[in-house]
Amino acid sequence: ADTIKVGVLHSLSGTMAISETTLKDTVLMMVDEQNRKGGLLGKKLEAVVVDPASDWPLFAEKTRELLTKEKVDVIFGCWTSVSRKSVLPVIEELNGLMFYPVQYEGEESSKNVFYTGASPNQQAIPAVDYLMNDLEVERWVLAGTDYVYPRTTNKILEAYLEAKGVDKKDIMVNYTPFGHSDWQSIVADIKKFGGAGKKTAVVSTINGDANVPFYKELANQGVSAEDIPVVAFSVGEEELSGIDTRPLVGHLAAWNYFQGVDSEANERFIQEWKKFTGDEKRVTNDPMEATYIGFNMWAKAVEKAETTDVDAVEQAMIGIEFPNLSGGVAKMNKNHHLSKPVFIGEIQDDGQFEVVWETDGLVAGDAWSDFLPGSKDLIADWTAPIKCGNYNTKAKACGGQGQ
Amino acid sequence: MKHLLLTGCLLLALVTTLPAASAGSVVSEQAAPSATPASEEPGGNRQVLLARLTRASLRESAEVLDQLERSGGRAMRGLFAAMLAGDLYYHRETGRLMAVQKNPAGERIGSDIFTGEGLGVQSRGSIKKVRVNNRLRSHLRDAIARIDLMHGTEAQKEGAVLAILDDLSPQNMRLLQVTADAGQSDRVSELIELARAMVELRDSSVTDARLSAIAVMSGRLEAPVRNQLQRLLDDERESDRKIRIAAQQSLEEIEGRIAFYDFMEQLFFGLSLGSVLLLAAIGLAITFGVMGVINMAHGEMIMLGAYTTYVVQQLMPGAIEYSLVVAVPAAFLVSGSVGVLIERGVIRHLQGRPLETLLATFGISLILQQAVRTIFSPLNMPVVTPGWMSGVFAINPVFSVTFNRLYILLFALAVFALLLVTLKKTSLGLNVRAVSQNRDMAKAMGVRTEMVDAMTFGLGSGIAGVAGVALSQLTNVGPNLGQSYIIDSFMVVVFGGVGNLLGTLVGGFSLGVTNKFLEPATGAVLANIIVLVCLILFIQKRPKGLFPQRGRAAE
Amino acid sequence: MTTVEHNRSLFGNLAGALAQLRAPGEGSSLLVAILLGVTLLMSAANLLLPAESPLYVSTYTITLMGKYLCFAMLAMAVDIVWGYCGILSLGHGAFFALGGYGMGMYLMRQIGDRGVYGNPDLPDFMVFLNWQELPWYWQGMDQFWFALLMALLVPGLLAFVFGWLAFRSRVTGVYLSIMTQALTYALMLAFFRNEMGFGGNNGLTDFKDMLGFDLQADGTRVALLMATALLLALTFVASRAIVQSRLGRVVVAIRDAEPRARFLGYRTEGYKVWLFVYSALVAAVAGMLYVPQVGIINPGEFSPLNSIEVVVWVAVGGRGTLYGAIVGALLVNYAKTRFTAVMPDGWLFALGTLFVVVTVLLPKGLAGLLQRGRTTDAETRGENNTGEVSAGDAPAEPITGEARA
Amino acid sequence: MNVTAQARELLRRDTTWPFLVPRQRAVDVSHQVILYVEGLSVSFDGFKALNDLNLYVNDGELRCLIGANGAGKTTLMDVITGKTRCDSGSAWFGRNIDLLAHDEAAIAQLGIGRKFQKPTVFEAHTVYTNLELSLKGSKGAWSALTAALTGEQRDRIDRVLETIGLVNARYQLAGALSHGQKQWLEIGMLLAAEPRLLLIDEPVAGMTAEEAERTAELLTSLAGEHTVIVVEHDMEFVRSIARTVTVLHQGAVLAEGTMDQVQNNPDVIEVYLGEDA
Amino acid sequence: MIRIEKLNQKYGGTQILWDLDLDVEKGSCTCIMGRNGAGKTTLLKCLMGLLPASDGRILFGGKPIEGRAAQARAHLGIGYVPQGRDIFPLLTVEENLQIGLPARKDKARRIPQRIFELFPVLKDMLHRRGGDLSGGQQQQLAIGRALVIDPKVLILDEPNEGIQPNIVRQIGDVIRMLNEEDGLTVILVEQKLGFARRVGREFRLMQKGRIVAADQMAKLDDGLIRQYLAV
Ligand SMILES: Nc1ncnc2c1ncn2[C@@H]1O[C@H](COP(=O)(O)OP(=O)(O)OP(=O)(O)O)[C@@H](O)[C@H]1O
Ligand SMILES: Nc1ncnc2c1ncn2[C@@H]1O[C@H](COP(=O)(O)OP(=O)(O)OP(=O)(O)O)[C@@H](O)[C@H]1O
Ligand SMILES: NC(N)=O
Ligand SMILES: [Mg+2]
Ligand SMILES: [Mg+2]
């Protein structure tokens, strides 16, 4: 082929369009930029955009379409875990290459996927550490949308908190359906739970659309960040752009990137983004940075491998470093996850985050959690001689439990 | 809760403040000269402190603030309040501190932090915000509370004492003593009395005194009271049987009262959810219930109303307080006109084929969703809650009602009443029903059926738009807004009985209340499932809904 | 010829052939013939031709076709109850999904210890939720025959109980429609719950093989496609037999004047229940075939909007004609596939407009268009009476009675 | 009874399960009376449509039911056919069948056919199919699946078509018939069903005098083998067929007797016939 | 008053009315008769504008109205009592009557007392649902409803179907009175000879979509009846 094709597999309609459209635009911007730099291997890049419409089986179908019909060399895509799970068998069958840019629950590592978002140890654990050490939180509300990412994260956190000596009584877990919009009772419960005389915080894995009504209810019931701070893992600048943040000032989020991070690269990226979208008010967020890193690493790996062949690029990817937007350098590990810094930010009245805490160095993403019984012995390592995604360090074998 | 953090810092502050001056008197002394301008205070020390404030790291700031409070007392309230609100800036070159606020035109207007003197428009690059984080904010709040305990309004004093209930340290008690000596209103005195009783119960060893303390505490709904009684009962060292029994009784009484208010709270939550369901369904009760159009685009009419609210707020950034008043008629017009267009353009061609309206309106709903994505972006749009709709109406420490929910409840009832009157008292209502029952005959009686159809569909859509204004206060204003309400809306209309407005009202509220009473026991998801199953079973009992249409013709 | 063109011409042929239907009886067998013929040709082209061949049909097309045919079967199921009996089910997705879950459970058990955690007994999602043993309702699902049985039994039973309750109480019209919607909505919420033991939102996925055949092998895919085509043909023939039997005529009578039918001695609720159960079973079969071909089943399949979409396919194709439902499902889904790839940002405009235009211009859907091409006078209305499956031209609108009376 | 006892009861060898016992029982007319209606009352929202009504109809009789509009004639038929539940009273079909305990379909299968006041036919079906569906025989879903017309049944339909004068319209959709044609078709559907008791609500409304005459002949010929109850306002028609006439008024029987008796009853004249009818 | 020229009407492919001409004079009372399916109802519906005519002209007071909608014809003063009554079943009797008020020339806001004088039953039933009334009551309501618009021409399609004898008389009297005293033009479709003779002053016989005979009512003889009305 005379171009290198880049598949973009993000929902542009349906419930997930609200989050994913931005990532499609980000990839398009990256492709543009790369082409301005002269493309890759002397060829131009060509983006192939499809709309899987927030429909999970459609994700699989579109992946197949991208790989067999369009013959793309790489795919940037997916947001929800279920979409990724749907795509996974197809991408493995056809030996494609995908970059997944969203924080997720971990417990996975595929040869054909690079995970540039955070895994729980790059987001949830540091956030809890911060709450516990800096804000002296003793009582915990783990509130999440009822699906796998919150469930897993909360399981990890429960185990982690209990290991830190937190009493079971001081942990309240609450799950709500997708798009839950009536938060009155739950917020009232949180208030009551927090009224028992111990410093309380909410760790929120509430997803997407449910957040706006949740925060609105928090604001209206007068739960302020000083009383009961809420730290969220799915609320970034983009989500905040849909809320009046003045009553929410001081609530927290944990990410590997904030738009407010002071760095030259970030400044440039933001400018470029605003120019690309033609909207001065457009914000950037963590999954965009993840896409940015993923894309550039892929470009670097292709140049290193001097081909877009998946197996070659996959091997070339491991160990690649690329400056992230927060001033440091991100590194792709053997388990296809990144090493990245972790930031905690407080919501400001302009919808931005103020970084109030950051890890000292980089945190390497874990594919398998150390806090879950089923996976604490597992690691992923895609280099020889192990070369698998679920190597059991006890049984010294691939394939989960090992036989 | 808030009290915990607040008192934690209060304690910290007191440790540093009080020993410095012999407690009590100093506090009130400091208050006296505060009318004099800041610059006259002893020592350029304060200027130094203020300068430090602009440069300090977040950690150092706390220390600077303490010193400022000690030196400036009441005079510092403005500074603290501005900083708490995030309005405190300093000039990059002169380092001068100022409160900065945006005017409606979006310009930054500075004013002196102490005198309030106007400093004119500040360019964006010339000023920088004084950084503040959660920790500082609670610090500031406590400082303000301390100032308020002496000099604040009644409500502020009350709040300050309430905060102290969480931490009854000797220092705090001394502070309360000073406050009490200054003579206070009944409510504040009562709270101070309560604080004393709590200390008595905790520290005293005289059974009678402790019993009377318990008597004072009995029936109080403040959380610290409950927590203390609970701790006392949990504490094995507490061996005085009389005290235990009294405490037990007292706690039970408190819990009894709380149970009652919990019930009230749930009822309110239920009614509030009901009002949302009602609002969402009410337009559909017309387009579907009365006209018989299976209007899958109903949700998008709501969505248009919500977007209208957003646009209105963008157009009048200086008058957010009034934006909703403008948005209601605007949303009615926007959604209503789109409704009329849909009716004239599409529905009209489907007369006598009501089932096909499902297909067409489904198509329209897809188009409208995508249109909104194209025009406004797929992101949610921020809609601001005006001040008068924010906050809670606290009836007592355990039962409060949020204003926005309360207003929306009232609004839903008002819209309903208005609609009922429109349909009952104008010829439109009669004509719609006639047309829906027998179009040809209505024509033969001279009814302008096209007009009636357009007006009715417009009315139903307009009402949906109005509902969108209310919903914009509670939930996402985004392209998916409509989808999240369409199922519920149909459910409510059908449950109430198609074609019966009153049914929609009762249906909405009963679904809301049932849901909210189930939720504490089952969780949100299961509550929802149970409600649905009940609904299915209910319809077996009453196949035509709550208020079926009766008579021969309905059979 | 590229695959796209191939696709296009494929559909062109199909539509053309349908348009040439001379008589309804012939038309139906023609449809079956085309269906099987095309499937066979595609299968052969996929398996026998080298990938470079211009006539090669890619596996992508094969799976796509398989999915369409499943949808077609589902649409037919909806049409049987809606078009012929006036039961507008807005919840048929529930039966489809239940069938799918049955198959999904079997496929999940087939993974065995090849899951990421390598647990031989528990599916992955149970392992990381710390489940210790297989819940009782997963027992036996590793047997194909048992899974098959359950995948039919459960939706069938649900349809029976729901239908029996609803039809006996004479719940009709929109009330019934909304209750079916409530049913599927409740199931969706229930299946979203991780405690239910069906994998919550992620559903069941990462299937490996079926009856020992690798699901990713071309041969298996082709076999699945052929099985789907065969079953579609079979259910089509069976459904046609049903609607053409006296039972079918009674059902149409019930649609138009249920009280009258009762006064003739027909126990209408019985007819409705059986028809509903039959239709649910067809939907379940479609779901069972769907899951191995798309590789995932998740509670989203229960979403009320999905079921509404199915109704839309039927309406586009032409309610009350079985082949109309099939054509509608194929066309709309093909349009969706093309639009989402060709105009990812604006395809909803196109699809929405398609729906509006079809409704306004083609009152009887595409089937009406075909029929019109067939009958001599073009502007005929309401006098089509050549029997067969054209029950679509009922003057009485079942729902009207409800909403308007 | 507890569950085990119930189970034991079910498993007893010497009994047939109640739901397997054929429901159809032959109507017992050993006392010559085929329909007993006693003390029947029906009210709608407090309005008494039937008020303690008594009516006895002999087997094979042709009974005319007249009465003012709103007297409750249609309501009476509704109760007999199971469409409307009554507040009190009883209705027996022969001596052995309690009509109030059956639903519409069961009652129809017992052999009570009905023609509605407003003609109702299956509009999407042809005239022929309408008749086919009305034929006497098993009405179960399973048997309908395999049912085919026997030659005998075809003949019957042809004969009915002839009787109702719709031979030429046999393949027309019933929905496209004119009002009067629908009336005929509905009568035809009754004929095809061969019920024991026919309840006919206003058969000649909208028919020409000539047609009414034909209908009269038809009904008269049916009587004897069948029992016929006719409601009609057309006095000429009633006169031409009537043997016994029952007059209803405000939900109760006002008068009963031969046409002459009734016609000269001053009450009937006052509330129904008018001065010079 | 009303003049129909060369009216044709088709239902789908089947033609129902064939080049039909009809002339109704002001103040006349014309009775249209014909067998079932002759096309009487179709003719009236075309006249009322409820069915589109395939072609032909309809003149009302000399002005063509074939292009105008039914509601406009109602406003011009054509009152219609359909076959089968077509009462609005879920509206009360009062509401059924009120529907027509806006079509009146005088814009009265209340139901004219005259209606209740003609049909006293309606007064008692004012607040019951139209659909609950018995057939006869509904028929009276249907006529009353048509009269509310204060029509110049009243069209009645078999108004006696299912009506008790004394009310049939009463309706006949009312029609006659309206025609004779108020000068209302009446077009009546009727099957019952007795009634037609009593009320109508002219007759038109229809067969297979055509008018086949027209004359004064007195001239309606057995020959015509046998030829066109007998089965
Ligand atoms: N479902 C109902 N709801 C309310 N009232 C009803 C209902 N059914 C019948 N009625 C009333 O009961 C009375 C008797 O009605 P019914 O139809 O039996 O009269 P009828 O004798 O058949 O009259 P007609 O000769 O005009 O048909 C009427 O006044 C009618 O209004
Ligand atoms: N909706 C329709 N579609 C097709 N044909 C129709 C339709 N309505 C009526 N017809 C046909 O038109 C012809 C005339 O019908 P119309 O109702 O005008 O007759 P009519 O003279 O009023 O008869 P009746 O005395 O029975 O009321 C009939 O043959 C009938 O079959
Ligand atoms: N991976 C997530 N956030 O679904
Ligand atoms: Mg009657
Ligand atoms: Mg007629």
Side-chain angles (χ1 to χ4, degrees), chain D residues 74 117 201-202:
Chain D
T74 301
Q117 185 163 359
D201 208 351
E202 307 200 5

PDB file of all heavy atoms in Angstrom, chain D residues 74 117 201-202, ligand 4:
ATOM      1  N   THR D  74     -79.569  -5.135  24.277  1.00  0.00           N
ATOM      2  CA  THR D  74     -78.193  -5.519  23.946  1.00  0.00           C
ATOM      3  C   THR D  74     -77.452  -5.962  25.198  1.00  0.00           C
ATOM      4  O   THR D  74     -76.688  -6.934  25.182  1.00  0.00           O
ATOM      5  CB  THR D  74     -77.476  -4.342  23.277  1.00  0.00           C
ATOM      6  OG1 THR D  74     -78.197  -3.976  22.092  1.00  0.00           O
ATOM      7  CG2 THR D  74     -76.054  -4.718  22.899  1.00  0.00           C
ATOM      8  N   GLN D 117     -75.087  -5.721  17.142  1.00  0.00           N
ATOM      9  CA  GLN D 117     -75.906  -4.629  16.643  1.00  0.00           C
ATOM     10  C   GLN D 117     -75.152  -3.874  15.562  1.00  0.00           C
ATOM     11  O   GLN D 117     -75.670  -3.613  14.488  1.00  0.00           O
ATOM     12  CB  GLN D 117     -76.238  -3.697  17.810  1.00  0.00           C
ATOM     13  CG  GLN D 117     -77.186  -2.578  17.437  1.00  0.00           C
ATOM     14  CD  GLN D 117     -77.797  -1.938  18.671  1.00  0.00           C
ATOM     15  OE1 GLN D 117     -77.529  -2.325  19.795  1.00  0.00           O
ATOM     16  NE2 GLN D 117     -78.613  -0.938  18.459  1.00  0.00           N
ATOM     17  N   ASP D 201     -79.093  -9.320  17.025  1.00  0.00           N
ATOM     18  CA  ASP D 201     -79.368  -7.936  17.399  1.00  0.00           C
ATOM     19  C   ASP D 201     -79.573  -7.098  16.142  1.00  0.00           C
ATOM     20  O   ASP D 201     -78.642  -6.893  15.368  1.00  0.00           O
ATOM     21  CB  ASP D 201     -78.181  -7.401  18.232  1.00  0.00           C
ATOM     22  CG  ASP D 201     -78.621  -6.321  19.196  1.00  0.00           C
ATOM     23  OD1 ASP D 201     -79.786  -5.884  19.101  1.00  0.00           O
ATOM     24  OD2 ASP D 201     -77.812  -5.916  20.045  1.00  0.00           O
ATOM     25  N   GLU D 202     -80.781  -6.669  15.935  1.00  0.00           N
ATOM     26  CA  GLU D 202     -81.140  -5.773  14.844  1.00  0.00           C
ATOM     27  C   GLU D 202     -80.602  -6.208  13.489  1.00  0.00           C
ATOM     28  O   GLU D 202     -79.738  -5.564  12.906  1.00  0.00           O
ATOM     29  CB  GLU D 202     -80.659  -4.351  15.177  1.00  0.00           C
ATOM     30  CG  GLU D 202     -81.184  -3.931  16.539  1.00  0.00           C
ATOM     31  CD  GLU D 202     -81.192  -2.448  16.742  1.00  0.00           C
ATOM     32  OE1 GLU D 202     -80.877  -1.712  15.786  1.00  0.00           O
ATOM     33  OE2 GLU D 202     -81.524  -2.016  17.853  1.00  0.00           O
TER      34      GLU D 202
HETATM   35 MG    MG F   4     -79.104  -2.517  21.362  1.00  0.00          MG
END
